[in-house]
Amino acid sequence: MIFLLITAVAAVVTFVATRVVLAVALKHGIHPPVRDRDVHSRPTPRLGGVAMCIGVLGAFGVAALIPELSGVFAEPTRIWTLLAGAVAICGIGVLDDLVDLDWMLKLGAQILVATGVALFGVQIVSLPIAGITVPSATTAIMLTVLIIVLVMNALNFIDGLDGLVAGTTIIGSTAFFGYIFIISQNLGQQNAYFSLASLITSIIVGVCLGFLPVNWHPARMFMGDGGALMLGLLTAASAIAVTGQIDIGTMGGRSQILPAFIPVLLPLAILLLPLTDFVLAVVRRLLNGSSPFAADRKHLHHRLLDMGHSHLGAVLIFYAWTAVVSVGCLVFLMQPWWVAVGIMAVGFIVCALLTAAPVSRRVWRTFLRVLRERRAARRGLEPTTIDARVETSIDQGESR
């Protein structure tokens, strides 16, 4: 109930803040022009990150007043560092949305913020796989900075469709909180529940829920780089924070094979699509001789639109893939591995069929057309009116 309260506070504060920020942005015309790579057709404010940042600060403020979470705030330095990092990266993102910063300057700022969080906030000190300890403090800091910067840019890269980042983050973060709940309630890891990771995750879900109403298609406001980068920072911080609190050795038989790797795999699974898009984009741009951070219109969500999916359809497909991977990882904690693999396999097949649906419809239409033409050629006639009606109905179904 405590974390439901925190989620509700984050959602309400963010929801109210979005209305205020949106009104100010529209009144003063604070919105960039539409770019060639954009999928929207009218200028739309990109200051959603400001409202989301207000939601984060408000939720942390309420959490500080709850006695059960006193242990989380026992080390105020790391809380203040994390909040300062969230505000700083949000500000950098907003500035980039307004004046289009040079990519090297933006990357340098990201590394600087991530370094500050690694030094005074959260950092990887051990991996939850047989208690492996990171060799040195320098290695821990470098690894933490790498993860934070990678996750920030991965989320920022897929922020191209209405509701895409907010929705996928809600699904993935809810699954991550489910993981923390399962290990704390059922697997003897009670110290993991009232933790910084749980708090951050519940706030992330609340903030995204509060922002989604104005970001749902057709969006009235975007979260922009400010919101996406801040979500990336907080998502990475929650995953990093939990790594030092999980003792796989106490989980008995469930620690065998893949479940022992869940603390590492689940954050990666949640970010599977963003990370895939990020890697493909960097490789593609480097091969083309351009900057790895040079924007283009070849992201995964752009390709889904080019395949024939509607705006909403492409977003829902991303949701489906994220849900299958995230929930599938959780199943490994509750069911035999072969059951979990089977569930994920079925989910992958369904998602693959949905993803390929527009192409399948075009292939089927072509097949029917060729079949009709061959029949007509054998009879020495033109395709019948009935055939034309069939094709028309297929076209109409595809357009919907």
Side-chain angles (χ1 to χ4, degrees):
M1 290 300 295
I2 291 177
F3 291 110
L4 284 177
L5 173 64
I6 297 298
T7 299
V9 169
V12 172
V13 174
T14 303
F15 181 81
V16 174
T18 56
R19 295 312 193 264
V20 176
V21 173
L22 179 59
V24 172
L26 293 176
K27 179 179 179 180
H28 297 282
I30 308 175
H31 45 70
V34 179
R35 301 163 297 189
D36 292 339
R37 68 177 185 274
D38 291 331
V39 298
H40 61 284
S41 57
R42 64 179 181 178
T44 304
R46 298 178 181 274
L47 299 180
V50 176
M52 297 169 74
C53 187
I54 294 173
V56 170
L57 296 177
F60 263 101
V62 172
L65 303 176
I66 299 177
E68 288 84 354
L69 296 176
S70 58
V72 177
F73 293 89
E75 300 179 44
T77 300
R78 69 174 185 169
I79 300 296
W80 284 112
T81 299
L82 186 60
L83 293 179
V87 172
I89 202 64
C90 179
I92 293 166
V94 170
L95 187 61
D96 181 53
D97 287 325
L98 296 176
V99 300
D100 197 13
L101 298 175
D102 180 78
W103 73 270
M104 293 187 66
L105 178 62
K106 186 166 66 172
L107 179 60
Q110 293 173 9
I111 294 174
L112 184 62
V113 170
T115 302
V117 171
L119 286 172
F120 305 105
V122 295
Q123 67 175 248
I124 295 178
V125 294
S126 64
L127 297 177
I129 305 174
I132 298 176
T133 303
V134 178
S136 66
T138 302
T139 303
I141 293 172
M142 293 177 62
L143 185 58
T144 302
V145 171
L146 176 63
I147 292 174
I148 292 175
V149 172
L150 181 63
V151 174
M152 284 195 296
N153 283 285
L155 279 182
N156 192 32
F157 270 41
I158 68 165
D159 185 24
L161 297 179
D162 300 345
L164 180 55
V165 172
T168 54
T169 302
I170 290 171
I171 295 170
S173 295
T174 300
F176 190 65
F177 188 88
Y179 163 74
I180 298 174
F181 180 81
I182 290 171
I183 63 174
S184 64
Q185 299 298 314
N186 301 330
L187 301 178
Q189 301 283 320
Q190 284 78 12
N191 65 310
Y193 187 62
F194 291 106
S195 64
L196 180 60
S198 298
L199 177 59
I200 295 174
T201 304
S202 62
I203 291 175
I204 289 174
V205 173
V207 165
C208 290
L209 285 172
F211 178 69
L212 196 56
V214 298
N215 190 231
W216 192 253
H217 184 68
R220 287 175 286 168
M221 183 163 63
F222 302 137
M223 68 174 63
D225 283 13
L229 291 175
M230 184 185 68
L231 283 182
L233 172 65
L234 294 176
T235 300
S238 65
I240 292 169
V242 82
T243 56
Q245 298 173 323
I246 307 303
D247 182 11
I248 296 296
T250 65
M251 294 186 182
R254 293 185 185 272
S255 64
Q256 301 301 315
I257 314 175
L258 189 57
F261 293 82
I262 294 296
V264 176
L265 290 180
L266 186 55
L268 293 177
I270 293 170
L271 297 167
L272 176 64
L273 291 178
L275 289 173
T276 301
D277 192 27
F278 176 78
V279 172
L280 291 176
V282 170
V283 172
R284 178 178 66 248
R285 292 164 185 175
L286 290 176
L287 291 177
N288 291 334
S290 59
S291 161
F293 293 91
D296 57 28
R297 199 186 180 284
K298 296 182 180 179
H299 290 288
L300 292 179
H301 52 273
H302 291 136
R303 296 183 185 277
L304 287 176
L305 294 177
D306 294 339
M307 286 174 63
H309 288 286
S310 66
H311 192 117
L312 179 59
V315 171
L316 293 179
I317 285 175
F318 265 86
Y319 288 0
W321 280 106
T322 303
V324 168
V325 177
S326 302
V327 176
C329 285
L330 288 183
V331 176
F332 278 99
L333 290 175
M334 300 177 289
Q335 298 293 333
W337 68 268
W338 54 271
V339 174
V341 170
I343 292 175
M344 291 188 71
V346 172
F348 285 153
I349 293 173
V350 172
C351 288
L353 291 175
L354 292 174
T355 302
V359 176
S360 300
R361 285 196 297 267
R362 287 197 295 270
V363 171
W364 178 246
R365 187 180 64 178
T366 301
F367 171 76
L368 290 179
R369 182 186 297 117
V370 171
L371 186 61
R372 290 194 301 272
E373 290 174 353
R374 289 184 177 179
R375 287 178 178 175
R378 285 198 300 266
R379 298 174 183 175
L381 301 172
E382 294 295 326
T384 65
T385 303
I386 296 177
D387 292 332
R389 289 178 180 175
V390 171
E391 185 172 340
T392 301
S393 66
I394 294 172
D395 290 336
Q396 290 174 345
E398 187 172 271
S399 65
R400 286 194 293 267

